[in-house]
Amino acid sequence: MHVLGLDPSLYPAKPAHFDLEQVIRPNILALHPYRCARDDYSQGILLDANENALGHSIPCHSQTQDASAALGKELEPTLKLDLHRYPSPTHDPIKSRIADLRKLPGIEYVFLGVGSDEVIDLLMRVCVAPGREKVMTTPPTYGMYSVCAHVNDVGIVQVPLELSGINGEGGETGRFSLKIPEIKKKIDADPSIKLIFLCSPGNPSGTLISLSAIRSLLEYEKFKGIVVVDEAYIDFASDDASAASLVTEYGNICVVQTLSKGFGLAAIRLGIAMAHPALIQVLTNTKAPYNISTPTASLALAALSPEAVAAVRKKVATLIESRAWLLRALASLPPGNLGPAIGGNDANFVLVPVLEKGGSGRPDSVRAQRIAKTLAEEEGVVLRFRGHEPGCEGCLRITVGSSEENETVVAKLREVFQRT
């Protein structure tokens, strides 16, 4: 059995121990994808998809004298799109801009999803047999891996990240790292593990996983599955940090990205998978026919223009500077309240432990939760409590905001620490 729609000459050649057909579930390999109307024709008198030929009925600002019925002028570009037509099933122009941005050979290496969550869920559905096979995660990590696994009746093997380098209040920042020997040991003991999810930079750890560590897993002969590298925050790391550079070399890696973070487009729900064309073809065969809406596609294409990408880089640079300011400001708060930030600080957030009162220097999850609740309900400042995750006892995750927001959160923390 082979991947439908894929030329046999395009099967992955490296690493030698990897066989895609042994990773993909047999029912997915046998799947004949739904062929939608726009797969064949997208121009002409389109009477093949049972669309409303008279168009949508939302009044534009320029089409009505009734100001109460008309929508704002800012919506007119969206309303002028062909909203009564089904969207493109492929969105090749978007894929082309992503391929150029991430230095990939072409659109055949790119898949689009409804946020990265759809990509994560789809990978589990095509690769992991419910009730029999498993995925591996490295907590603390993104919670949707576990949620998707439970939804799909997939087992979870965990190898927690190793936290080292914390010397107490005012000491060296703690760092998270992969336990590569432990991961390989788990793989050796359990051949049913089909996917390894690595979050890089990590959420909530901020950890950037080195390409050498990822290579060591890709080349490990006893692992026959796929390494999934979730790079939602990669735009806040160094330019050469992305594992997308490995996609043309290895067939057993899938790099997941999004326009939600660095591009500031969380509301449009546009996720990206970059992988060998063979895996991209499998995902394409399995996805819903029209998963990316026309408004989302229009905004994504504009966001990936050269002018917009240049603006993204300027904003990212500003946020990185603000991240450094926030770390310094948090460290200057009265002693005995916050420990040094932990993690790699390679994302648009910082992770800081709240300490016990009394000067013990130990993190205190109860106090951290109380402070987060007080800030949200009494001060209007919302932070994320992460203290129940491995290695994150007592921790609050603070997103880097605007300069004004950063100054406010530091001031409010100072006030709340005085009374909590």
Side-chain angles (χ1 to χ4, degrees):
M1 193 176 296
H2 61 277
V3 176
L4 292 174
L6 182 72
D7 188 315
S9 66
L10 294 178
Y11 272 68
K14 184 179 177 180
H17 67 269
F18 176 71
D19 183 352
L20 181 68
E21 292 183 16
Q22 297 302 311
V23 178
I24 306 303
R25 294 168 57 195
N27 60 305
I28 300 298
L29 283 175
L31 174 68
H32 284 265
Y34 176 79
R35 187 155 191 85
C36 61
R38 295 299 155 258
D39 279 325
D40 297 316
Y41 304 103
S42 58
Q43 294 180 339
I45 299 175
L46 300 174
L47 303 177
D48 58 343
N50 302 333
E51 299 152 329
N52 187 331
L54 301 184
H56 68 75
S57 302
I58 305 172
C60 291
H61 187 274
S62 59
Q63 294 175 331
T64 178
Q65 300 300 316
D66 184 355
S68 63
L71 297 173
K73 287 185 177 181
E74 65 273 10
L75 285 182
E76 288 210 34
T78 298
L79 296 177
K80 289 179 180 178
L81 297 171
D82 288 333
L83 300 181
H84 65 302
R85 299 295 185 191
Y86 286 109
S88 165
T90 59
H91 297 293
D92 288 347
I94 298 175
K95 294 178 181 178
S96 179
R97 289 188 175 182
I98 291 170
D100 289 343
L101 179 66
R102 302 308 186 192
K103 298 180 174 58
L104 297 174
I107 62 174
E108 65 273 17
Y109 287 84
V110 181
F111 173 86
L112 304 178
V114 183
S116 56
D117 292 338
E118 184 188 27
V119 176
I120 291 165
D121 180 69
L122 195 55
L123 284 166
M124 287 198 196
R125 286 193 283 130
V126 303
C127 295
V128 193
R132 294 191 292 110
E133 296 177 329
K134 301 169 186 170
V135 300
M136 177 182 287
T137 64
T138 58
T141 193
Y142 183 40
M144 279 303 295
Y145 308 145
S146 293
V147 171
C148 285
H150 286 297
V151 168
N152 288 291
D153 191 21
V154 165
I156 304 171
V157 176
Q158 295 185 332
V159 180
L161 297 174
E162 185 172 32
L163 179 62
S164 60
I166 286 188
N167 296 323
E169 185 180 343
E172 182 182 342
T173 299
R175 301 285 298 191
F176 286 96
S177 60
L178 284 179
K179 297 179 181 177
I180 297 292
E182 182 67 17
I183 290 174
K184 291 181 177 180
K185 183 178 179 181
K186 293 281 188 180
I187 290 170
D188 294 348
D190 193 346
S192 73
I193 298 171
K194 302 293 286 293
L195 300 173
I196 299 175
F197 285 96
L198 305 177
C199 199
S200 177
N203 175 17
S205 70
T207 298
L208 182 66
I209 298 173
S210 69
L211 297 186
S212 60
I214 295 171
R215 281 181 183 274
S216 71
L217 295 177
L218 295 173
E219 296 177 355
Y220 189 55
E221 293 186 359
K222 293 186 179 180
F223 180 56
K224 308 299 184 182
I226 294 170
V227 177
V228 183
V229 186
D230 185 348
E231 294 187 340
Y233 300 93
I234 196 63
D235 293 311
F236 300 98
S238 59
D239 291 339
D240 58 351
S242 176
S245 61
L246 304 178
V247 164
T248 55
E249 187 176 352
Y250 296 95
N252 57 341
I253 184 172
C254 182
V255 177
V256 181
Q257 295 184 359
T258 178
L259 296 190
S260 294
K261 308 300 182 182
F263 281 77
L265 289 170
I268 76 169
R269 311 307 302 132
L270 198 288
I272 302 159
M274 293 172 285
H276 188 281
L279 180 56
I280 296 298
Q281 184 66 54
V282 172
L283 296 175
T284 301
N285 290 351
T286 314
K287 77 173 183 68
Y290 306 108
N291 62 330
I292 306 301
S293 74
T294 295
T296 289
S298 177
L299 289 167
L301 189 63
L304 291 161
S305 69
E307 298 82 3
V309 170
V312 167
R313 288 174 174 151
K314 287 183 180 179
K315 287 188 176 181
V316 165
T318 297
L319 288 169
I320 290 174
E321 291 176 2
S322 296
R323 182 179 67 198
W325 181 92
L326 182 59
L327 287 168
R328 291 193 300 270
L330 292 172
S332 72
L333 289 172
N337 292 298
L338 287 180
I342 63 175
N345 297 322
D346 287 308
N348 67 332
F349 58 82
V350 298
L351 188 67
V352 289
V354 174
L355 305 179
E356 290 179 341
K357 274 192 166 183
S360 71
R362 292 190 293 268
D364 186 340
S365 288
V366 173
R367 188 183 183 206
Q369 279 186 296
R370 186 165 61 247
I371 286 170
K373 182 178 175 67
T374 300
L375 285 169
E377 297 180 2
E378 298 180 16
E379 305 293 345
V381 175
V382 183
L383 311 180
R384 192 77 180 269
F385 172 71
R386 300 279 78 182
H388 293 321
E389 300 194 37
C392 299
E393 185 179 358
C395 281
L396 298 178
R397 192 190 68 195
I398 306 174
T399 304
V400 179
S402 66
S403 295
E404 181 179 348
E405 289 171 333
N406 294 334
E407 291 169 2
T408 298
V409 72
V410 173
K412 294 299 183 182
L413 277 169
R414 187 184 302 274
E415 293 174 13
V416 171
F417 280 139
Q418 290 176 351
R419 63 180 192 266
T420 305

